[in-house]
Amino acid sequence: VDKTIKKNEIIMFFPERIRGLFENINEKIWNNITNIRITSGKPIIVETTDYRYYMNIKGDINICLSGDEFVVSQKDVSNITELVTRSSIYAYSRYINEGFITLPGGNRVGVAGDTVFENGKICAVNRINSLVFRLSHEKKGIADLVIDDIYSNGRISNTLIISPPGCGKTTLLRDIARNLASHKTNPVICALIDERYELACAVDDQPGLDIGQSSFAISGLPKHVAIPMVVRTMSPDVIIADEICGMKDYEVIEYALSSGCKFIATVHGKDENNNEIKCCYTDKKIFEYQIVLGKEKGVGTINKIIRSG
Amino acid sequence: MFAKIIGCALILIASTTAGYIAKFRADQRIKELENMLVCMQGFEYEICYNISDIIKATKNLVRISSIHNQKIFLSFLESAQKSNGKPLSEIWQETMNQKREECYFLKDDFEIISQFGSVLGCGNVDTQAKNIAILKERISKQILNLKTKSEKSGNLPAKIGIYAGLVVIVMIF
């Protein structure tokens, strides 16, 4: 079951002259859109799961550049920035400094511009000139293939999902959480560590995506802070985290495991032989179950399942 | 003669009322400025501690503002929600221009409050905090000035109304 993204959820963030162009896109294409790229001085690029399209001045989309593309102005980008930040850049500055703004419904906007870098961190992103709307696709049921291996006879296996970007690991992770937390006979208390508001996707008072009946999310905190906090205060059965990275995360995962919690996570990598993954996670044998995703045969294809221990 | 007496009475009532209205407006102006100060305290809380966006912060301001300040904030909120990407500084300025006639504030007050809009929503939380602090300081000074003037003049505007009426009556007779 796919959650279709309502067109209005996205085009409400576009100024009128761009909003009008998107009215022409038919529902079938709209439901497959993954990214909308808006860059000052460049044409609008609409990416679906299969193709990359360029938008022309009439609002039609073509696979090839035809010379009559709609060119985005800096004012358009500024207007969109005003709209996505609800005219309050200051309230979003910590997210903008990390390169994204989260919209209601789990959609995200990646931002790029002139960056001020001081003392090893980004202090500000001035004159934002490029935005990419990344549309969230909730797909219920995609974890059905693996859920029985992860959770059987009341036992949860520590699981690592490995894939390159854009292969559906966050979507799979969310569906695993939903399955565990909505298990008919023995639901599991799941703590979702939603550092970048991608998993539960709750923004302000807007409801997020379906993460199951007995789960909760802690949002906006770095994993190495959130995980010990959740272990100490919320006593979950399983901790679920997206995009773990490096030794800092490994140390807190080890702490959570030694505290008796189970752990399910995703990590960026081509496969289990990626050096960082081997060094930090697989060699240490903390994950009993590893799923490698790819998109050669479609986004979210399970390339390999490795069971160890 | 009877008509003259009636006329004089009316003149006296009108001039006295005008005097009292002037006094009332001066008092209300101070009260509205004081309320604006309280609103800015609330705004500071929303922006610097809750990190709420301007629209959410303004919604909360509406609850604590006086009737006339509420009109300003409601009008601003409505325009900001339909902004279509227009910068808040422009929306704030437009709101000030629209509401100029509906408030007890005078030109000086509007200048202070209008300038507040110039960096509204921009930069980071520090920028907003400084902007609010400047506005609070300027409003506080304005209130102090007005109170000092009010204490000095006492009930003068109301009395002037009565005296002006009496002068006109004397001139008629």
Side-chain angles (χ1 to χ4, degrees):
Chain A
V1 180
D2 291 9
K3 179 210 169 205
T4 52
I5 297 162
K6 287 177 192 145
K7 201 185 263 189
N8 282 344
E9 274 182 22
I10 299 298
I11 64 171
M12 64 185 278
F13 296 108
F14 297 157
E16 266 166 31
R17 74 186 204 118
I18 295 182
R19 203 179 299 164
L21 300 173
F22 276 85
E23 298 287 356
N24 293 346
I25 295 181
N26 68 49
E27 287 298 317
K28 196 182 165 196
I29 290 181
W30 182 263
N31 288 333
N32 281 324
I33 292 178
T34 51
N35 295 328
I36 299 168
R37 297 180 185 274
I38 296 174
T39 303
S40 169
K42 304 270 174 14
I44 295 174
I45 300 172
V46 177
E47 292 174 347
T48 64
T49 43
D50 307 310
Y51 298 106
R52 179 172 294 161
Y53 298 98
Y54 298 91
M55 184 170 272
N56 71 13
I57 47 173
K58 289 176 188 162
D60 300 324
I61 50 172
N62 302 305
I63 292 172
C64 303
L65 287 164
S66 54
D68 63 344
E69 279 74 33
F70 177 88
V71 178
V72 177
S73 68
Q74 180 56 42
K75 195 178 176 214
D76 291 326
V77 177
S78 303
N79 284 350
I80 295 171
T81 309
E82 288 278 336
L83 288 165
V84 295
T85 60
R86 290 161 66 102
S87 302
S88 310
I89 292 271
Y90 69 88
Y92 293 84
S93 58
R94 67 192 167 119
Y95 307 115
I96 291 172
N97 291 351
E98 290 195 30
F100 72 97
I101 298 163
T102 305
L103 304 179
N107 305 305
R108 290 206 307 167
V109 184
V111 295
D114 298 337
T115 307
V116 182
F117 191 76
E118 263 180 24
N119 302 325
K121 61 176 186 176
I122 296 169
C123 303
V125 181
N126 300 322
R127 209 181 71 88
I128 292 168
N129 53 35
S130 186
L131 301 162
V132 51
F133 281 75
R134 301 184 61 187
L135 276 56
S136 141
H137 290 269
E138 184 181 30
K139 290 181 188 291
K140 288 184 182 176
I142 56 164
D144 292 354
L145 278 174
V146 292
I147 198 69
D148 290 339
D149 288 327
I150 295 172
Y151 186 42
S152 60
N153 302 324
R155 187 183 177 278
I156 301 163
S157 300
N158 295 317
T159 305
L160 184 66
I161 302 163
I162 306 164
S163 94
C167 291
K169 57 186 175 315
T170 307
T171 313
L172 177 62
L173 189 67
R174 189 188 304 116
D175 203 44
I176 290 172
R178 188 185 61 81
N179 271 282
L180 293 175
S182 296
H183 198 274
K184 279 178 187 162
T185 52
N186 195 7
V188 175
I189 304 293
C190 298
L192 273 73
I193 311 299
D194 198 4
E195 185 174 351
R196 293 157 76 97
Y197 299 88
E198 286 176 297
L199 272 174
C201 307
V203 178
D204 290 340
D205 46 0
Q206 306 271 351
L209 301 178
D210 185 2
I211 54 169
Q213 299 303 313
S214 61
S215 57
F216 62 90
I218 179 160
S219 306
L221 268 184
K223 285 180 272 292
H224 66 272
V225 179
I227 293 168
M229 195 172 125
V230 160
V231 170
R232 282 196 294 267
T233 60
M234 304 297 285
S235 56
D237 297 324
V238 58
I239 297 173
I240 293 177
D242 197 19
E243 294 178 12
I244 55 170
C245 175
M247 288 307 288
K248 218 174 186 177
D249 284 351
Y250 167 73
E251 282 166 16
V252 289
I253 292 169
E254 207 174 33
Y255 166 74
L257 294 174
S258 65
S259 305
C261 295
K262 294 291 182 179
F263 212 94
I264 302 175
T266 69
V267 65
H268 273 144
K270 189 168 171 285
D271 53 34
E272 75 284 8
N273 297 318
N274 174 299
N275 274 345
E276 194 190 318
I277 296 173
K278 273 183 87 166
C279 172
C280 292
Y281 308 110
T282 51
D283 279 359
K284 297 198 164 66
K285 300 196 184 303
I286 54 175
F287 292 103
E288 300 141 337
Y289 193 62
Q290 293 160 40
I291 303 165
V292 182
L293 298 181
K295 57 178 172 184
E296 293 80 12
K297 292 174 188 169
V299 172
T301 312
I302 297 175
N303 282 351
K304 202 190 286 183
I305 291 175
I306 305 157
R307 182 170 272 288
S308 56
Chain B
M1 185 64 188
F2 183 71
K4 263 188 180 180
I5 291 168
I6 296 287
C8 290
L10 287 174
I11 288 166
L12 195 61
I13 291 167
S15 61
T16 308
T17 310
Y20 274 101
I21 287 172
K23 168 78 174 136
F24 175 76
R25 288 188 71 89
D27 290 345
Q28 281 303 113
R29 183 183 172 196
I30 296 173
K31 278 185 188 164
E32 294 295 322
L33 281 169
E34 282 173 338
N35 180 259
M36 185 59 86
L37 205 58
V38 173
C39 290
M40 286 304 124
Q41 192 65 43
F43 210 49
E44 187 178 20
Y45 170 77
E46 285 294 333
I47 286 175
C48 301
Y49 303 104
N50 280 352
I51 323 286
S52 306
D53 58 54
I54 296 286
I55 289 173
K56 200 173 169 190
T58 311
K59 275 181 189 166
N60 288 333
L61 273 194
V62 169
R63 290 187 212 137
I64 56 167
S65 51
S66 64
I67 295 170
H68 290 90
N69 286 338
Q70 202 174 59
K71 280 182 192 167
I72 295 176
F73 293 129
L74 275 175
S75 170
F76 171 70
L77 183 63
E78 205 174 298
S79 308
Q81 281 173 325
K82 296 176 192 162
S83 72
N84 195 30
K86 193 193 269 187
L88 282 186
S89 52
E90 283 177 32
I91 296 171
W92 184 259
Q93 193 58 51
E94 281 170 13
T95 309
M96 291 298 117
N97 294 339
Q98 280 169 14
K99 296 291 160 188
R100 210 167 272 261
E101 302 302 320
E102 295 177 34
C103 300
Y104 292 110
F105 294 143
L106 296 183
K107 198 182 162 201
D108 297 355
D109 313 323
F110 271 112
E111 268 175 22
I112 295 170
I113 300 167
S114 295
Q115 277 177 14
F116 170 70
S118 59
V119 289
L120 198 58
C122 309
N124 55 19
V125 174
D126 284 348
T127 318
Q128 297 302 309
K130 282 173 191 162
N131 191 32
I132 294 167
I134 291 168
L135 179 69
K136 277 163 64 180
E137 196 186 322
R138 295 187 70 189
I139 291 177
S140 300
K141 276 185 187 166
Q142 184 77 343
I143 292 170
L144 197 68
N145 283 343
L146 291 174
K147 278 189 172 170
T148 313
K149 274 184 195 168
S150 172
E151 277 166 18
K152 275 184 190 168
S153 59
N155 224 8
L156 196 64
K159 283 177 187 166
I160 285 176
I162 299 168
Y163 295 146
L166 288 173
V167 168
V168 172
I169 290 165
V170 169
M171 283 167 73
I172 289 170
F173 279 97

